[in-house]
Amino acid sequence: MATLAGVTFTPAQAAGINGGWQGAKEVSCQGAFSDGKNLHGANVRVLTYKDVVVWTGKVDANGQVAFPRPKEKFYVQFLGADNHMVEVDHAVIKP
């Protein structure tokens, strides 16, 4: 059974989800499970530090997702199969 690999955003490269800013207004990322398959269909939530959900979506067929950059501090949750979840704090996402 595959689990979510670690989550990191560029420039801190690691196995799992990699991403970065698209311009100054959008964050994009791409990811994979530990067995190398992409995260197609995984649920994604963007939340504020007050745990308010500001965006929800799913990873596309190419294992990618993009969302509007929130104006306040945020973190991102990726929920894969069997409720495996990985969270990424905004502080590791660099423009």
Side-chain angles (χ1 to χ4, degrees), residues 73-88:
K73 294 178 180 178
F74 66 95
Y75 63 100
V76 184
Q77 292 179 334
F78 296 87
L79 184 61
D82 297 326
N83 293 322
H84 290 238
M85 184 174 60
V86 176
E87 292 184 349
V88 178

Side-chain angles (χ1 to χ4, degrees), residues 29-94:
C29 58
Q30 182 173 6
F33 289 99
S34 59
D35 64 359
K37 293 181 183 176
N38 75 36
L39 292 175
H40 175 247
N43 291 310
V44 181
R45 298 189 329 159
V46 179
L47 301 95
T48 68
Y49 280 9
K50 295 178 183 175
D51 290 328
V52 174
V53 176
V54 295
W55 188 87
T56 61
K58 290 188 178 276
V59 176
D60 71 15
N62 296 317
Q64 300 176 350
V65 66
F67 54 88
R69 178 179 170 252
K71 294 182 181 191
E72 57 191 291
K73 294 178 180 178
F74 66 95
Y75 63 100
V76 184
Q77 292 179 334
F78 296 87
L79 184 61
D82 297 326
N83 293 322
H84 290 238
M85 184 174 60
V86 176
E87 292 184 349
V88 178
D89 189 81
H90 77 96
V92 301
I93 304 171
K94 306 292 182 195

Side-chain angles (χ1 to χ4, degrees), residues 10-30:
T10 303
Q13 296 292 321
I17 295 172
N18 298 303
W21 301 109
Q22 291 182 355
K25 297 182 180 180
E26 189 172 70
V27 179
S28 66
C29 58
Q30 182 173 6

